[in-house]
Amino acid sequence: MNFDLARESDKLLMLLYGLIAFVVVVGGLILLLEVVPSWLEKRRIARRRPGKRTEGRLALFFLLPALLMVGIGLVVPAVRTTGLSFMDAGSDSWVGLANYHWMFAQDDIRRVLLNTMTWVVLVPLSATVIGLLYAVLVDRARFESIAKSLIFMPMAISFVGASIIWKFVYAFRGEGEEQIGLLNQIVMTFGGQPRQWLLDPPLNTLLLIVIMVWIQAGFAMVILSAAIKAIPGDIVEAARLDGVNAWQMFARVTLPSIRPALIVVVVTISIATLKVFDIVRTSTNGHYDTSVIANEMYLHAFPYGETGKGSALAVFLFVLVIPIVIYQIRNLRQQREG
């Protein structure tokens, strides 16, 4: 294929403008971070005033870009989405709570909410338990670093990539044909018949949950393994001198000691699970009773053109996340005060 410079000149020009803008923005930020602190310090010395006000201004200066980005990228869209959730599909007329009533009145959407609740209950619990099991079994093993690398590796794969991998595991071919799906091949090895696993609810939802657990278990293992290694050695030694067995050591020493890490893992995975979209979209496109809130929100807001309903689903998803975030903030505050 020949490259036509004249035909692609507009794209190259846009790329050049983008690079120039990037250099200007990054260079400007670097310059500001270099010049402004020095200027404030010189001003403070010239006026011979205590440095508290200057330090406050300096802190505000460093926080301002982050606050600006949060406002533009989070606060403004959240307020606008909330307003759109009270309007019709074309965002022209005010419909009040009609979109929220639709959310709980339709059988299809109630199924979506039930699927989401199933994800939120099973994924954090399963991933945390499996991650804790990995952490305990792998801790101080002979090939600990290699084992942890292999277990954590799914975290390096995107949700889309992981879903494609598992679609091959669940792949189906008709009877008499060679099965390329690992799960069907195992079933046939034991005398069973191949089946289309992702077409049968509610089993298909559970099989999609397996993908998320496979990804998140490595994250849970890393956090919990670090927490286990941080348990003071004198506590472990004292428990052994008291004659506790392995189970008692785990239940009475290890679990209470790593409780803060367990809470962090469960909360983090719960928030990630509430927002799950890629796995469902890639594996089933939300068909066969597998859709979740994030996928349904996308479908209504964009392909279906029903902005009001999509916004209502987005607001409801945001409301579900808030209690988890508040709990985590309170927990971190209690740990800091303790």
Side-chain angles (χ1 to χ4, degrees), residues 144-161:
E144 179 181 355
S145 59
I146 297 176
K148 285 184 176 180
S149 299
L150 293 175
I151 295 171
F152 186 76
M153 192 175 294
M155 279 293 296
I157 304 174
S158 68
F159 283 3
V160 173

Side-chain angles (χ1 to χ4, degrees), residues 15 29 51 62 94 123 213 223 232 257 309 314 334:
L15 177 60
L29 288 175
F62 281 111
W94 185 268
V123 172
V213 173
I223 303 298
S257 299
K309 294 178 180 179
Q334 290 174 359

Side-chain angles (χ1 to χ4, degrees), residues 107-121:
D107 291 339
D108 293 343
I109 305 303
R110 286 203 298 265
R111 165 57 63 180
V112 169
L113 300 180
L114 179 61
N115 286 343
T116 304
M117 184 179 67
T118 303
W119 277 78
V120 174
V121 171

Side-chain angles (χ1 to χ4, degrees), residues 170-172 183-184 187 195-200 203-204 207:
Y170 301 143
F172 166 82
L183 186 55
N184 274 323
V187 169
R195 58 184 297 185
Q196 301 187 46
W197 299 99
L198 297 180
L199 269 60
D200 299 331
L203 177 62
N204 49 10
L207 293 176

Side-chain angles (χ1 to χ4, degrees), residues 72-86:
I72 296 175
L74 181 63
V75 177
V76 173
V79 172
R80 176 165 172 75
T81 301
T82 303
L84 292 175
S85 68
F86 297 104

